[in-house]
Amino acid sequence: MVKKGFLGALSVVVMAVFSLGFLVMGLGIISIGIPPSFDEFLRIVVFLLITCLYSLLVKCWNSIFNNIQTGFNFGSGWYICIWLFFTVFYSMIVKIIANAFAQVSTAVQTLNLSLSRISPNYLYEELTTILLTPSIRSLGALRFEQIYGAIPSTLSVSQSLLLTWPHITGLVAALIICFGIFYIIFMRQEIRA
């Protein structure tokens, strides 16, 4: 039952995200008149895949707080609170903690970045920024020694994926953890019944 529900949600999310993504791409081609290059097309496909992962993570969070047997949605308030916390308040709390514990400005930036990457929203934001802006070469602060002698050019798709691979792994791990929690809750409800 859980596998069928998850696979159904997976197919609906994938079809919706890809159909809307390709529809917007087609409308862009019609309005601008310039088709995307293969590199740009590959970036859009990878972006749509990551959007599917993020949407499934949100769906798993929503399913954890729903009553599985009756379909009665008793937990949407908690789901919205968690989403609002990670979207709005988590970054503020991270900045306060980083400023309180770190004394040097580089240490504040490093601690702020490390704590921010716990949030799935921040991971998704950095992923989309790197994938859709190929001129960005780093996720953190750059020193002059790292920039000196670098040729100003864009990153290829494979290099962008290498730069964001820890983020993709974090989103997949969060999805697996949420699915595991959802599965355990479902099995406990089935055993009680």
Side-chain angles (χ1 to χ4, degrees), residues 98-142:
N99 288 332
F101 287 114
Q103 302 297 328
V104 185
S105 66
T106 56
V108 169
Q109 290 175 352
T110 305
L111 184 62
N112 188 7
L113 192 61
S114 299
L115 290 175
S116 293
R117 288 188 177 153
I118 293 172
S119 169
N121 294 329
Y122 190 80
L123 288 177
Y124 180 72
E125 181 184 319
E126 274 193 344
L127 266 168
T128 56
T129 302
I130 294 296
L131 279 176
L132 299 177
T133 312
S135 60
I136 296 177
R137 298 179 154 269
S138 175
L139 293 171
L142 289 173

Side-chain angles (χ1 to χ4, degrees), residues 45 56 76 78 91 111 113 122 126 135 141 147 180-181 191-193:
V45 169
L56 284 173
S76 63
W78 287 105
S91 61
L111 184 62
L113 192 61
Y122 190 80
E126 274 193 344
S135 60
I147 299 173
I181 292 169
I191 290 172
R192 288 183 197 156

Side-chain angles (χ1 to χ4, degrees), residues 1 13 18 46 50 71 86 98 108 110 113 134 155 161 169 185 187:
M1 176 89 174
V13 165
F18 272 90
V46 171
I50 289 170
F86 277 116
V108 169
T110 305
L113 192 61
L155 294 177
L161 286 175
T169 306
I185 290 171
M187 290 306 289

Side-chain angles (χ1 to χ4, degrees), residues 14 17-18 21-22 25 37-55 123-124 126-133 156-165 167-169 171-172:
V14 168
V17 167
F18 272 90
F22 288 141
M25 188 187 329
S37 66
F38 181 72
D39 190 47
E40 292 167 343
F41 178 75
L42 202 56
R43 283 183 189 278
I44 292 171
V45 169
V46 171
F47 166 71
L48 293 175
L49 283 172
I50 289 170
T51 302
C52 289
L53 275 177
Y54 183 69
S55 300
L123 288 177
Y124 180 72
E126 274 193 344
L127 266 168
T128 56
T129 302
I130 294 296
L131 279 176
L132 299 177
T133 312
S156 67
V157 177
S158 61
Q159 290 172 340
S160 294
L161 286 175
L162 282 175
L163 187 61
T164 59
W165 189 249
H167 296 74
I168 297 170
T169 306
L171 279 179
V172 170

